[in-house]
Amino acid sequence: MDRPDVVVLDYGSGNVRSAVRALEHVGARVELSGDPEVAEAAQGLVIPGVGAFAACMESLRAVAGPRVIGRRLAGGRPILGICVGMQVMFERGVEHGVDTAGCGQWPGIVDRLSAPVLPHMGWNTVDVPGDSELFAGVVGERFYFVHSYAARSWGLRSDLGPIAAGEVAWATHGEPFVAAVDNGALAVTQFHPEKSGEAGLRLLRNWLDRL
Amino acid sequence: MTLAVRVIACLDVDAGRVVKGVNFRDLRDAGDPVELAARYDRERVDELIFLDITASSGSRSTMYDVVERTADQVFIPLTVGGGIRSTEDMDRLLRCGADKVGVNTAAIAEPDLLRRAANRFGSQCIVLSVDARRCTGGMATPSGFEVTTHGGRRGTGIDAIEWARRGAEMGAGEILLNSMDADGTTGGFDLELIGLVREVVGVPLIASGGAGQAADFARAAESGADAVLAASVFHFGTVSIGEVKAELSRVGLPVR
């Protein structure tokens, strides 16, 4: 089998090395790039992200990220968003009272979790829909989370005809929040598959298998 | 509670080698941090901490290489601490593949470092390491615990509980609480210290210092620690990662 070509979007966001290494480990040919044309052309695009929502969106715009995301999804070309790279897919993010527009691929707001201890840091269980392709072989496993903000509701309706509602996986820290979504060409995880040991590597392999 | 109690192994690294004794029969080279990290990963440790205890600045750069090689092979969270003075040091370690960086002395000398680091990298990757000991002699702080530096040899007169609270407020996303009284004794964690810090911080708390047997880890978690750390008892095989997790599970705490 050919090794799928994956671009990890480099827009100045934290530890991207881990994502690159984990994807290589499970068989991808990986390029780290902040070039919009390269990101558009890749078989698969991974959007990492750490830090604040507003700062992430600003850096993402600097590499034409929202346009790249929009064009890829219009053409059905796969994207995997991780952590804040997931959060920016929603309409808005609210952090420290700052309300920032996201990429708006999905309705909904990302805001602060209500829990006694934050950040939500560590290995948590994920409630996965039974027939999930993304989680094939790792249903019931724990994944590594590090975040204080999350999408606490899922607003995409399934009764609107041709729009796929997506498979939504939930986790709980103080309250339930969206832990992962698999929605057509757009898949995202709030946890870090690249830091979730064997379970995370398997999830990345599942994603690569569809490229 | 659904979040697992994290079991963390700490490796003291000097000039690219694990020191303070490691006693694993099946390792080719017990001093190689990368090999040891991979071994703990296979035993399902939840997280790793490399503590850079390099005395000379000349061999500091070997740590970057160790972090890179570890991040290439081990896909669980890695924290690096020891000798970090600036956001530039942090940036370099994070780029090499560290997920979090630990600061101690530099934050005491310059607390604003925590704020600047959190603003630049996000709180989630800034760990404040607090080496606390009970006040003795003429020294006294309101809580009875004092912050120390230089591996507990130097007192600062700063109240350890208040410092942990303030550190979290300034941007530390996690507190690594090390009892200098319990450290190395294998007599159990300082549960009073853990409880006092738990009361004042809302960020994750790692308990360190004093682990001797599996039951000690469970008591630390029951006293309020989100994560439990040990070094030598794991290195010498006194207790295994699996035994600690079995005990945590036995008392009803979630584990991975």
Side-chain angles (χ1 to χ4, degrees):
Chain A
M1 198 183 80
D2 284 343
R3 298 173 69 196
D5 284 306
V6 171
V7 166
V8 173
L9 190 65
D10 184 8
Y11 61 110
S13 174
N15 173 9
V16 286
R17 186 188 176 89
S18 298
V20 172
R21 291 311 194 186
L23 287 157
E24 283 176 348
H25 192 83
V26 294
R29 210 184 343 249
V30 187
E31 183 180 350
L32 188 61
S33 175
D35 181 338
E37 282 182 28
V38 173
E40 259 180 47
Q43 270 182 279
L45 177 67
V46 172
I47 303 189
V50 295
F53 190 101
C56 239
M57 273 309 296
E58 192 184 327
S59 314
L60 197 56
R61 283 201 197 89
V63 297
R67 191 191 74 201
V68 170
I69 292 165
R71 283 189 184 169
R72 286 190 65 94
L73 295 180
R77 299 172 74 78
I79 294 177
L80 176 65
I82 298 173
C83 199
V84 185
M86 159 185 180
Q87 297 178 358
V88 295
M89 299 302 171
F90 289 86
E91 257 176 341
R92 286 160 51 211
V94 181
E95 284 193 3
H96 310 293
V98 181
D99 193 329
T100 308
C103 295
Q105 294 299 333
W106 295 319
I109 300 169
V110 172
D111 59 2
R112 195 168 169 88
L113 280 171
S114 178
V117 175
L118 286 176
H120 172 220
M121 188 180 287
W123 301 78
N124 210 337
T125 53
V126 176
D127 189 6
V128 178
D131 52 352
S132 170
E133 255 182 44
L134 194 59
F135 285 86
V138 287
V139 174
E141 293 284 346
R142 287 177 179 270
F143 294 88
Y144 188 77
F145 291 83
V146 187
H147 63 117
S148 297
Y149 296 81
R152 301 182 299 161
S153 62
W154 175 250
L156 197 62
R157 288 163 55 187
S158 57
D159 58 355
L160 297 178
I163 299 175
E167 285 178 4
V168 182
W170 295 81
T172 301
H173 182 66
E175 59 181 329
F177 66 89
V178 178
V181 183
D182 195 8
N183 183 205
L186 183 55
V188 297
T189 63
Q190 179 60 69
F191 54 82
H192 288 268
E194 79 280 16
K195 283 287 156 185
S196 295
E198 284 302 320
L201 293 173
R202 174 64 196 269
L203 186 140
L204 291 175
R205 198 177 291 124
N206 289 345
W207 182 72
L208 286 184
D209 281 348
R210 52 165 85 154
L211 299 184
Chain B
M1 189 160 83
T2 57
L3 188 60
V5 175
R6 281 174 286 153
V7 179
I8 303 175
C10 179
L11 310 183
D12 286 345
V13 180
D14 179 18
R17 307 285 294 169
V18 176
V19 293
K20 270 201 196 168
V22 174
N23 186 9
F24 281 140
R25 267 180 299 180
D26 57 333
L27 289 184
R28 275 183 294 113
D29 175 7
D32 178 24
V34 183
E35 195 174 343
L36 202 52
R39 147 100 187 217
Y40 282 126
D41 179 32
R42 285 194 296 276
E43 292 185 354
R44 280 178 81 80
V45 80
D46 295 314
E47 201 165 318
L48 291 163
I49 294 185
F50 284 170
L51 196 56
D52 187 357
I53 60 166
T54 302
S56 68
S57 58
S59 48
R60 184 76 72 188
S61 61
T62 56
M63 195 62 189
Y64 298 117
D65 174 59
V66 167
V67 172
E68 280 193 1
R69 287 190 294 121
T70 305
D72 284 350
Q73 297 173 39
V74 178
F75 299 101
I76 59 172
L78 173 65
T79 300
V80 181
I84 294 171
R85 297 266 171 267
S86 64
T87 53
E88 295 315 308
D89 292 346
M90 294 176 186
D91 186 50
R92 184 145 180 214
L93 284 165
L94 294 171
R95 281 177 189 281
C96 287
D99 299 286
K100 301 184 244 183
V101 288
V103 283
N104 181 355
T105 311
I108 294 166
E110 187 203 355
D112 193 56
L113 177 63
L114 291 173
R115 201 188 307 273
R116 281 186 284 117
N119 283 342
R120 180 158 169 195
F121 309 111
S123 285
Q124 79 289 334
C125 62
I126 312 300
V127 182
L128 176 64
S129 183
V130 178
D131 287 351
R133 74 173 173 206
R134 287 164 190 269
C135 300
T136 52
M139 240 300 299
T141 63
S143 72
F145 288 94
E146 176 194 15
V147 178
T148 68
T149 60
H150 300 81
R153 290 192 305 278
R154 211 172 285 182
T156 62
I158 298 169
D159 188 307
I161 311 304
E162 170 58 17
W163 172 234
R165 188 199 64 74
R166 186 162 165 239
E169 185 182 275
M170 292 193 72
E174 192 167 32
I175 304 292
L176 197 177
L177 181 64
N178 190 28
S179 165
M180 301 316 290
D181 300 308
D183 195 32
T185 64
T186 69
F189 293 88
D190 188 330
L191 304 181
E192 184 193 356
L193 177 63
I194 294 166
L196 287 171
V197 173
R198 174 76 293 164
E199 276 178 32
V200 298
V201 302
V203 299
L205 175 61
I206 306 170
S208 164
Q213 48 186 311
D216 295 335
F217 295 86
R219 288 191 197 103
E222 286 170 333
S223 299
D226 301 285
V228 286
L229 175 152
S232 51
V233 290
F234 289 149
H235 303 333
F236 284 106
T238 314
V239 58
S240 70
I241 303 290
E243 284 162 355
V244 170
K245 290 195 172 186
E247 177 63 15
L248 290 168
S249 185
R250 197 187 64 78
V251 302
L253 294 165
V255 294
R256 174 169 75 113

